[in-house]
């Protein structure tokens, strides 16, 4: 034990259920970084193979509803994280949650697990459990099952989790970005206490080393208490959106409001309904006892605005184009993961094209690196010129900047109305748009080789809209993409092929010829011709 009564850091063997989910997929690398061994229980282990940490963990196939596979997964485990719930499984999800929790608790006790850690929902004070929404009621019941079992449990109760990809946050995000004027249900006045995902993960990791005598629930939340209306308005400010006009409607049934959320956002109505039902009640932390066991460093928990800023950083720094393959902040818990649902992370429109190339990868890369400036953009010059004129008309940079060097590029170079954001020589050129747009845009150009060794060109134009105007902009210009982007892809590949063909022809004509016997008179004529050439 340390001087403050807490156990010293030790390597624990942790089981993470729900590792393919939003929290679980972000918890695993945090546990590894803390020095623990990790085993993941997954119904479909193949879903985890694209995670950068997949080879650092043990993955077993199983399901918490199956006692035999749960028992096998819990064997030799010190701390078991229960991060699954059956919210999207249908109307009987409460029964499924109850049965799964009981099976898990019984098998954890049989396996000699030292602690169960469960992330549940923050419940309102003074409201009978039977009056809660099914979603909150089920979360509360699962937490109670773990607290009543013989294994010491830490039950963390959180409200809205602010992080790129969480269902609650994405609902907030889409509603705010897509609707400059909102007619909203009365639950927008309900107070809640949001928490940053990195604080949730910090508390989860710290819970692993709690003293054996700790067996209780903890409320966890950030320092700000806000209404949903206040969160939407703060989101608009942090995201750089115009002021949102929010008009609450006194009478709007929960079922109808869930359909409204499902219509406006990509979050499915089956998921939106239990979430909106949970917003009927005020959910504010009544204590912060967790800090006795997982102390808060200075500046933490994060304020709401800072949590939003971190959640949106990936988009602002243009890393959304690479999805989960690289992060603005390595290991940032708000980064998108391969297993995040399709609706997570905000809207991202893209135009992608691939073409085979009758040229070497080197020849194709030479064309890509030489794009812009005097070489142009390889498609419909008038369209590019008009776009440049329009950009200058509204105060943008237009096409006047050209390029620093006619043949080579480096990160940070201006390139007409683009900026070079990433270069992987011979493979990738990524440009970020600096023209005036209602959103953020990138253009990726890849050199690839297929399984048979043939060269391929891949091109992606990506656009992240800002507000309703951004969505309208994309759909207004999308009819021209076939001409602009399609022509660009074709002409780049054709230029590379022509360059390759020209080099082959030059190589053949410049190949040394085998000497032939010539007459003296022919040799004399040749010498005379060479003399005239020098003159």
């Amino acid at each position: 034990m340390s001087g403050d009564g807490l156990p010293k850091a030790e390597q624990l063997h942790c089981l993470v259920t729900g590792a393919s989910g939003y929290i679980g997929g972000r918890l695993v690398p945090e546990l590894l970084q803390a020095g623990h061994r990790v085993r993941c229980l997954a119904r479909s282990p193949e879903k985890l193979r694209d995670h950068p940490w997949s080879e650092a963990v043990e993955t077993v196939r199983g399901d918490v509803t199956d006692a035999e596979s749960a028992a096998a997964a819990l064997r030799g485990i010190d701390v078991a994280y229960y991060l699954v719930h059956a919210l999207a499984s249908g109307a009987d999800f409460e029964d499924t949650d109850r049965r799964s929790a009981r099976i898990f608790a019984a098998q954890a006790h049989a396996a000699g697990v030292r602690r169960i850690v469960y992330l549940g929902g923050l419940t309102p004070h003074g409201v009978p459990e039977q009056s809660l929404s099914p979603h909150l009621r089920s979360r509360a019941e699962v937490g109670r099952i773990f607290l009543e079992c013989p294994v010491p449990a830490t039950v963390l109760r959180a409200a809205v989790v602010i992080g790129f990809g969480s269902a609650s946050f994405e609902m907030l995000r889409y509603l705010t970005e897509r609707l400059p004027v909102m007619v909203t249900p009365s639950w927008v006045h309900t107070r809640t206490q949001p928490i940053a995902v990195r604080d949730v993960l910090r508390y989860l990791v710290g819970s692993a080393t709690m003293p054996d005598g700790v067996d209780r629930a903890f409320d966890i939340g950030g320092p700000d208490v806000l209404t949903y209306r206040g969160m939407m308005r703060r989101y608009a400010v942090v995201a750089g959106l115009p002021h949102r006009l929010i008009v609450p409607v006194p009478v709007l049934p929960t079922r109808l409001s869930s359909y409204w959320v499902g219509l406006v956002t990509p979050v499915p109505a089956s998921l939106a309904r239990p979430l909106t039902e949970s917003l009927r009640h005020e959910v504010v932390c009544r204590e912060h006892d967790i800090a006795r066991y997982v102390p808060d460093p200075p500046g933490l928990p994060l304020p709401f605005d800072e949590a939003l800023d971190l959640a949106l950083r990936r988009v602002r720094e243009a890393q959304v184009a690479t999805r989960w393959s690289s992060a603005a902040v390595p290991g940032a818990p708000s980064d998108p993961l391969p297993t995040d649902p399709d609706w997570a992370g905000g809207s991202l429109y893209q135009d992608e094209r691939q073409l085979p190339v009758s040229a070497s990868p080197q020849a194709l890369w030479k064309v890509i690196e030489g794009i812009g400036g005097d070489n142009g953009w390889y498609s419909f010059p008038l369209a590019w010129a008009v776009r440049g004129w329009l950009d200058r008309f509204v105060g943008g940079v237009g096409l006047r900047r050209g390029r620093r060097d006619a043949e080579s590029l480096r990160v940070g170079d201006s390139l007409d109305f683009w900026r070079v954001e990433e270069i992987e020589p011979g493979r990738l050129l990524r440009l970020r748009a600096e023209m005036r747009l209602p959103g953020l845009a990138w253009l990726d150009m890849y050199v690839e080789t297929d399984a048979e060794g043939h060269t391929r060109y891949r091109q992606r134009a990506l656009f992240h809209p800002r507000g309703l105007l951004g969505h309208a902009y994309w759909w207004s210009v999308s009819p021209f993409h076939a001409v602009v982007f399609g022509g660009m892809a074709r002409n780049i590949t054709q230029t590379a092929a022509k360059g390759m063909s020209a080099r082959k022809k030059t190589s053949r004509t410049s190949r040394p010829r085998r000497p032939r016997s010539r007459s003296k008179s022919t040799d004399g004529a040749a010498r005379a011709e060479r003399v005239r050439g020098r003159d």
Side-chain angles (χ1 to χ4, degrees):
M1 299 287 287
S2 63
D4 57 4
L6 298 179
K8 291 182 180 179
E10 58 177 316
Q11 185 186 63
L12 299 171
H13 197 182
C14 302
L15 174 70
V16 177
T17 65
S20 62
Y22 177 74
I23 294 294
R26 289 155 174 81
L27 175 62
V28 170
E30 300 291 325
L31 290 171
L32 291 172
Q33 187 175 2
H36 302 309
R37 295 165 55 206
V38 178
R39 177 186 296 164
C40 297
L41 174 64
R43 284 180 295 180
S44 304
E46 57 274 10
K47 288 185 176 181
L48 304 180
R49 66 188 178 193
D50 289 332
H51 288 268
W53 43 258
S54 60
E55 295 183 1
V57 304
E58 176 191 2
T59 302
V60 296
R61 186 183 299 274
D63 194 323
V64 293
T65 61
D66 176 60
E68 185 177 350
S69 64
L74 286 161
R75 194 170 297 124
I77 290 297
D78 297 309
V79 180
Y81 286 90
Y82 192 84
L83 303 173
V84 296
H85 59 90
L87 182 61
S89 64
D92 59 347
F93 75 87
E94 288 185 86
D95 292 334
T96 304
D97 275 339
R98 182 183 306 113
R99 179 165 49 89
S100 301
R102 287 173 176 167
I103 290 173
F104 195 80
Q107 297 306 321
H109 177 52
V113 172
R114 292 165 52 180
R115 176 167 299 278
I116 294 173
V117 181
Y118 170 61
L119 177 62
L122 190 60
T123 54
H125 179 62
V127 178
E129 192 170 294
Q130 61 270 21
S131 300
L132 298 176
S133 70
H135 168 56
L136 283 183
R137 185 169 60 234
S138 180
R139 291 296 188 94
E141 183 181 17
V142 169
R144 189 172 61 255
I145 289 172
F146 289 138
L147 290 174
E148 292 174 353
C149 83
V151 180
T154 299
V155 175
L156 302 179
R157 303 186 298 194
V160 176
V161 176
I162 302 300
F164 210 79
S166 75
S168 297
F169 174 68
E170 294 303 336
M171 193 170 76
L172 167 69
R173 173 193 181 95
Y174 279 107
L175 287 174
T176 310
E177 289 194 350
R178 291 191 170 179
L179 298 178
V181 178
M182 288 176 269
V183 177
T184 58
S186 58
W187 49 252
V188 296
H189 290 301
T190 303
R191 296 200 314 160
T192 188
Q193 193 163 349
I195 182 171
V197 64
R198 63 176 52 201
D199 285 316
V200 173
L201 296 173
R202 182 169 57 84
Y203 292 139
L204 284 169
V205 173
S207 295
T209 54
M210 282 188 175
D212 293 341
V214 178
D215 185 18
R216 56 163 292 185
F218 296 92
D219 292 352
I220 59 173
D224 300 299
V225 176
L226 301 162
T227 65
Y228 208 85
R229 179 180 184 177
M231 288 194 294
M232 287 190 285
R233 286 184 166 170
R234 296 273 282 274
Y235 181 97
V237 172
V238 174
L241 301 172
H243 176 73
R244 266 39 191 162
L245 179 60
I246 301 172
V247 182
V249 176
V251 180
L252 185 58
T254 301
R255 180 183 293 272
L256 184 58
S257 69
S258 68
Y259 290 136
W260 170 71
V261 172
L263 177 66
V264 174
T265 81
V267 179
S270 59
L271 182 57
R273 182 180 179 186
L275 293 177
T276 54
E277 285 178 338
S278 301
L279 294 171
R280 290 180 302 167
H281 302 292
E282 179 176 287
V283 281
V284 177
C285 296
R286 297 188 299 275
E287 43 83 11
H288 189 56
D289 296 347
I290 186 70
R292 290 164 52 188
Y293 305 99
V294 188
D296 295 320
L300 297 178
L302 282 175
F304 180 75
D305 287 2
E306 290 186 33
L308 282 180
D309 188 58
L310 286 172
L312 295 174
R313 177 180 294 177
R314 192 175 179 87
V315 174
R316 291 201 311 272
E317 295 185 359
Q319 293 298 325
V320 73
T322 59
R323 192 88 173 130
W324 50 82
S325 61
S326 62
V329 180
S334 59
D335 292 339
L337 295 179
T339 49
D340 285 349
D342 292 338
W343 46 260
S347 302
L348 182 66
Y349 296 116
Q350 65 176 317
D351 179 282
E352 183 167 358
R353 300 172 190 272
Q354 298 187 48
L355 289 174
V357 188
S358 300
S360 67
Q362 294 79 11
L364 176 57
W365 176 251
K366 185 175 182 179
V367 176
I368 291 173
E369 194 176 14
I371 201 166
D374 292 338
N375 291 329
W377 293 89
Y378 294 97
S379 73
F380 201 5
L382 180 59
W384 287 91
V386 169
R387 186 64 184 86
W389 296 334
L390 289 175
D391 193 56
R392 290 189 66 180
F393 179 75
V394 295
V397 297
L399 291 171
R400 58 189 171 185
R401 296 188 302 183
R403 50 182 294 156
R404 175 188 57 84
D405 184 275
E407 297 182 356
S408 66
L409 292 172
R410 62 190 181 198
V411 173
D413 276 358
S414 60
L415 183 59
D416 294 330
F417 47 39
W418 302 89
R419 177 77 59 181
V420 178
E421 185 162 272
E422 183 63 59
I423 295 180
E424 295 180 24
R427 178 183 174 271
L428 165 67
L429 173 63
R430 173 169 298 132
L431 306 176
R432 177 174 178 167
E434 291 191 335
M435 74 275 290
R436 294 293 183 92
L437 290 170
L440 301 171
W442 304 268
L443 179 63
D444 288 354
M445 290 168 276
Y446 293 88
V447 177
E448 298 179 342
T449 305
D450 62 21
E452 299 178 355
H454 301 144
T455 306
R456 291 191 66 82
Y457 172 67
R458 183 159 65 95
Q459 174 183 295
R460 291 194 309 170
L462 299 107
F463 182 67
H464 180 82
R466 182 182 293 114
L468 191 62
L469 182 59
H471 294 276
Y473 171 81
W474 173 265
W475 290 112
S476 67
V477 300
S478 59
F480 304 101
H481 288 170
V483 175
V484 177
F485 293 129
M488 182 179 180
R490 287 192 302 272
N491 291 333
I492 284 177
T493 57
Q494 290 172 5
T495 302
K498 289 178 182 178
M500 190 75 176
S501 176
R503 280 192 291 276
K504 288 181 179 179
K505 184 175 181 180
T506 302
S507 177
R508 286 195 299 269
T509 57
S510 61
R511 188 177 302 150
R513 296 181 179 179
R514 191 168 51 192
R516 294 181 298 176
S517 60
R518 292 179 292 185
S519 64
K520 289 183 179 180
S521 61
T522 303
D523 287 344
R527 282 194 296 273
E529 182 65 27
R530 285 197 295 272
V531 169
R532 284 194 296 271
R534 285 197 298 270
D535 293 340

